[in-house]
Structure formats: structure tokens, C-alpha cells
Amino acid sequence: MGKGLHYLVTGGAGFIGSNFVRLLYQSGENVSVRVLDKLTYSGNLANLKEFETRAGYEFIKGDICDEGVVRKAMDGVNVVVNFAAEVSVDRSIDDPQSFLKTDIVGVYTLLQQARQLPALKRFIQISTDEVYGHILEGSFHEASELKPRNPYAASKLGGERLAYSFFETYGVPAVITRASNNYGPYAYPEKVIPLFITNLADGGTVPVFGAGRQVRDWLYVEDHCRAIRLLVDRGVNGDVYNVGGSQECENIELTHKLLALMGKDERSIKFVQDRPGHDMRYSLDSSKLQRLGWAPQQDLSSGLKKTVDWYLQHEDWWRPLKNKLDPRYSKGFWGEKGGK
Ligand SMILES: NC(=O)c1ccc[n+]([C@@H]2O[C@H](COP(=O)([O-])OP(=O)(O)OC[C@H]3O[C@@H](n4cnc5c(N)ncnc54)[C@H](O)[C@@H]3O)[C@@H](O)[C@H]2O)c1
């Protein structure tokens, strides 16, 4: 392989990973990109179709827990960005085991191989703000206490702390990001924003957990991807960086914004049973990353408009996924009654 950055993007067929591959190719940089993805329910080759003919692009179907596959996938790369994970909080409450496997053992398998790569410049472990737990007032900074409150968040914390330990113990050049809730094109339609857009597009209702008073800090996916790209160059090994959108919004307010964009009113809302142990509020202080020159560029209102437009123009993308979606997502994952 020639000069330049040679990426292994694990989980690159998913929502954020495929947006990151897009950002790399759009930047015009001299890059090669190898994607390793198991293609679970949320992994989708259609997300990567436009890159199939690009020079230096390669796709490997495989599991980050599989040592042989990982060895092959890492051959010749100098940057690893690990997006591969089991991601859904609701699924992790239902069935935690696969989360422990991919989000902890999978990261360990990648790190073990990374130790063997002397040319590795960077190993970015994509973590989440959920490792902090929730915060009712103020914002989390990178040294805040870590109190994950569901099996997904606890597994992600295990994975990112392993990455840190491999930096301290073996010198793996690991950098960890903790991002807030992402939204934008190519998000699997079980996630709240695409679920609501596609339900409304079909003339259906939108299931709001509890009274919808939980607060999330929304980050447009391209802003997240730009942060990761910056950290490939400028992150400090062993360090953690919060990546927050600075766009806090109660779920009920988000719902009203989407209803307005879709030309609907509150008759389309259905209040449903709340998630057990539902985190009330996330809020991130991202000043450490901002000191490196990053700032979120997308505000929530215009980002939602772009996202709604994208879904309305890409029904061919989401319809087959929506047809296979567990109906619990549309009815209310934890049951139909509830609401305060
Ligand atoms: N979506 C968010 O709001 C958000 C916020 C903060 C952090 N994150 C983190 O970002 C990363 C990507 O999230 P996403 O929303 O794009 O999820 P996603 O579910 O869309 O993508 C995950 C990808 O990982 C692949 N995958 C799963 N298990 C695998 C395995 N064992 N081996 C190889 N590939 C496997 C899937 O096939 C899929 O393509 C995750 O690590 C997640 O924890 C997500």
C-alpha cells in the first residue's frame, strides 16, 4: 500500500460508520478504506453501494470477535475506527448477552490485533455519552463519574476502558470518543427520528415513551464524523473526547418538531409505557474537543428538516427495512399503556 491513510472501518455498514466512509471519500484525501462488518440487522450494504467502485475500497463480511477475520482485516492498515457494536438500549434490556460479546470481547479482539501493528497511527474507539449515566442538571465532562444505567451502556464502557488499558499497557494509540445521540441520513428505522418520520409518512402514530420529558442532546451525524476525522490527526493517545451537539431537546418537543415538518398534529401522538431505567437527561461539555478546532455546524431545526427530506426522498432505502421491523417499535416497545 502507498502513502496516505489506510483505514479499517469496523461497523462501516451501519448508520454512523457509513457516513464516516462518505466523509473520507468526499474529503478528496488520499485514503483507502476497508470495511469489516458482520451485517447484523442494522448493517446494510446499500449504505456503502456508492463506494464499491472507488479505488482502495474493500468490504469484508465478518465478526470483530473472530480473531482470524480481524487479522486479515487489519493487514496493512494504519488507522482503525471501531463503530461495530450492538447499539439499541431496548434490545440490550431484552437480551444483554450479544452486547457483552460484541461491545467488550469484540473490542478486545481488535485491540489484541492492534498490538501487532507497529505502523498503527490511531485506534479510535467510538463510545457513547451513555457511559456517564444521566444528569439532571449541568453537563458531563470527560472526568465525570461513570455510572452506566443499562446493559448497552455498561458494555460500551467495558470496551472503551479496555482500549484505554491497551494504550497504558501495550502502547496501542487509542483515542476514545463519547458522542451524544446522532441523527441524519441512513439511521436504521428503529431509531426514534426515522421511526417517527416513517410512521408519519405511512399515516400512522408515533409512540412517545412515558410523558416524553426525557432530554437528549442531538448531534447531526456529519458533525460527529468530522470530530472523528479531526481526532485521527489531533487526538492525544489515551484521551477521551466528548462529542455533543449542544442541541438539547425534550422528546416531546422533538416529536412536535417532527409532526410540524410532516404536516401532522398531536393527534398522531400515542403515549406508551416508558423504558425501564430510562435515562432522564444527557448533556455533554465538549469544550475539550472544541479547543482542537471542532464545533457542531448543524442546529436541530435545520438538521431535522434535512433528515425529513432525506427520508421522504429515500423510501426505496427504508421501506424494506421497515417491513422487517419488529412491530413493537411502532406500537411501544414496552407496551401500549402508560403516559402520565
Ligand atoms: N447512534 C447513536 O446515536 C450513537 C451515539 C453515540 C455513540 N454511538 C456508537 O456509534 C457506533 C455506531 O452506531 P450506529 O448508530 O451507527 O449503529 P448501527 O447499528 O447502525 O451500526 C452498527 C454496525 O456494526 C455492525 N456490527 C454489529 N456487530 C458486529 C460484529 N460483531 N462484528 C462486526 N460488525 C458488527 C452492524 O452490522 C452495523 O453495521 C456504535 O459503537 C455506537 O455505540 C452511537
Side-chain angles (χ1 to χ4, degrees):
M1 284 190 177
K3 281 195 177 143
L5 293 179
H6 302 294
Y7 282 86
L8 172 63
V9 180
T10 52
F15 165 41
I16 308 173
S18 62
N19 276 286
F20 183 69
V21 174
R22 188 161 296 104
L23 177 111
L24 291 178
Y25 277 120
Q26 281 174 353
S27 70
E29 288 179 70
N30 174 22
V31 292
S32 69
V33 180
R34 185 180 291 148
V35 171
L36 170 63
D37 198 296
K38 189 179 171 184
L39 299 179
T40 65
Y41 71 97
S42 62
N44 185 355
L45 279 180
N47 300 358
L48 295 166
K49 195 155 182 41
E50 71 205 74
F51 312 116
E52 279 169 7
T53 53
R54 295 294 289 250
Y57 174 78
E58 188 186 349
F59 178 82
I60 300 176
K61 182 172 189 283
D63 191 329
I64 58 164
C65 302
D66 181 333
E67 210 184 301
V69 169
V70 166
R71 189 177 313 116
K72 193 173 139 213
M74 277 204 197
D75 184 38
V77 305
N78 50 24
V79 179
V80 175
V81 186
N82 179 32
F83 295 95
E86 289 291 343
V87 174
S88 153
V89 175
D90 293 314
R91 286 173 191 264
S92 85
I93 296 169
D94 245 11
D95 177 19
Q97 199 178 28
S98 58
F99 286 74
L100 271 64
K101 193 149 186 272
T102 292
D103 299 4
I104 301 177
V105 178
V107 180
Y108 162 77
T109 310
L110 292 171
L111 289 163
Q112 278 286 44
Q113 193 55 38
R115 285 174 61 191
Q116 322 294 327
L117 292 185
L120 192 67
K121 290 186 203 308
R122 198 70 85 194
F123 184 108
I124 307 258
Q125 173 60 20
I126 306 298
S127 188
T128 165
D129 61 354
E130 298 199 27
V131 298
Y132 295 114
H134 63 177
I135 188 165
L136 300 184
E137 281 175 22
S139 299
F140 290 119
H141 49 86
E142 287 81 357
S144 295
E145 193 178 356
L146 299 165
K147 290 172 86 173
R149 299 176 76 245
N150 59 63
Y152 162 64
S155 307
K156 288 296 293 185
L157 180 57
E160 68 148 77
R161 289 301 87 199
L162 269 175
Y164 173 71
S165 76
F166 270 61
F167 160 69
E168 290 287 2
T169 311
Y170 307 110
V172 171
V175 165
I176 293 137
T177 62
R178 293 183 186 144
S180 60
N181 284 56
N182 281 225
Y183 72 106
Y186 297 98
Y188 188 72
E190 76 180 18
K191 309 267 187 208
V192 62
I193 290 176
L195 178 72
F196 283 16
I197 296 170
T198 55
N199 279 11
L200 293 170
D202 280 344
T205 54
V206 295
V208 173
F209 282 165
R213 303 307 302 274
Q214 304 83 4
V215 175
R216 297 292 179 263
D217 172 9
W218 289 98
L219 173 68
Y220 195 64
V221 65
E222 272 173 34
D223 282 330
H224 186 186
C225 293
R226 281 192 304 103
I228 297 163
R229 179 62 195 86
L230 178 70
L231 291 171
V232 168
D233 288 339
R234 303 203 46 206
V236 172
N237 291 336
D239 271 17
V240 172
Y241 296 85
N242 285 345
V243 192
S246 302
Q247 299 289 307
E248 286 183 35
C249 184
E250 277 192 354
N251 286 345
I252 191 68
E253 192 189 337
L254 177 82
T255 305
H256 281 289
K257 283 178 188 289
L258 290 171
L259 289 173
L261 286 166
M262 294 292 293
K264 305 281 181 182
D265 63 32
E266 57 193 22
R267 284 172 296 179
S268 300
I269 298 178
K270 192 167 135 210
F271 289 100
V272 297
Q273 186 64 42
D274 206 350
R275 172 188 289 159
H278 200 174
D279 287 347
M280 194 59 203
R281 174 173 174 263
Y282 302 130
S283 178
L284 288 179
D285 176 336
S286 309
S287 48
K288 180 173 174 183
L289 181 63
Q290 288 177 356
R291 284 196 292 277
L292 293 183
W294 176 87
Q297 289 176 358
Q298 194 69 65
D299 70 74
L300 183 59
S301 295
S302 56
L304 283 179
K305 168 92 179 75
K306 275 166 76 167
T307 306
V308 165
D309 289 347
W310 189 86
Y311 277 88
L312 294 181
Q313 286 157 18
H314 290 83
E315 183 174 345
D316 56 331
W317 180 85
W318 59 261
R319 181 65 67 191
L321 307 175
K322 186 85 183 207
N323 286 343
K324 284 190 279 182
L325 197 65
D326 180 340
R328 281 191 296 172
Y329 283 99
S330 288
K331 286 188 184 156
F333 199 88
W334 300 103
E336 298 201 19
K337 72 179 171 65
K340 290 162 204 144

